[in-house]
Amino acid sequence: MPTQSEQATGVQNTNYNLVSVLYHMLNGAATYDQYIQDAEQSDDQQLAQFLQNVKKQNAECAHKAQELLAQRIK
């Protein structure tokens, strides 16, 4: 039996959740760029490196989310 949100959107909750996670990851990427730039302008290389690592991990997760989504919509 479809949930209320599935009835409203026509999309399974799990797929909607995956799309939402992917959206937030991609949206966060632009924010990380600004944070990295701020750290570099403050000459805080330790923070800049940390944020670059966070951005890289986020990108890897976003790529995995894209793969999962592609598998589900075939």
Side-chain angles (χ1 to χ4, degrees):
M1 178 173 190
T3 65
Q4 187 176 13
S5 62
E6 286 178 87
Q7 291 173 348
T9 64
V11 177
Q12 288 184 350
N13 281 345
T14 54
N15 289 347
Y16 176 85
N17 295 345
L18 184 56
V19 168
S20 179
V21 166
L22 179 57
Y23 167 80
H24 287 93
M25 286 178 176
L26 295 174
N27 193 37
T31 303
Y32 294 142
D33 285 338
Q34 182 61 53
Y35 293 165
I36 292 165
Q37 184 179 15
D38 291 347
E40 289 172 343
Q41 287 177 350
S42 296
D43 202 29
D44 190 340
Q45 293 307 312
Q46 183 180 25
L47 179 57
Q49 184 62 50
F50 169 77
L51 293 169
Q52 288 169 353
N53 290 338
V54 169
K55 182 181 174 186
K56 180 181 177 186
Q57 291 173 356
N58 186 71
E60 291 168 358
C61 288
H63 181 72
K64 180 63 176 174
Q66 287 175 316
E67 289 176 348
L68 287 170
L69 188 58
Q71 292 170 5
R72 293 166 181 260
I73 60 173
K74 285 184 177 181

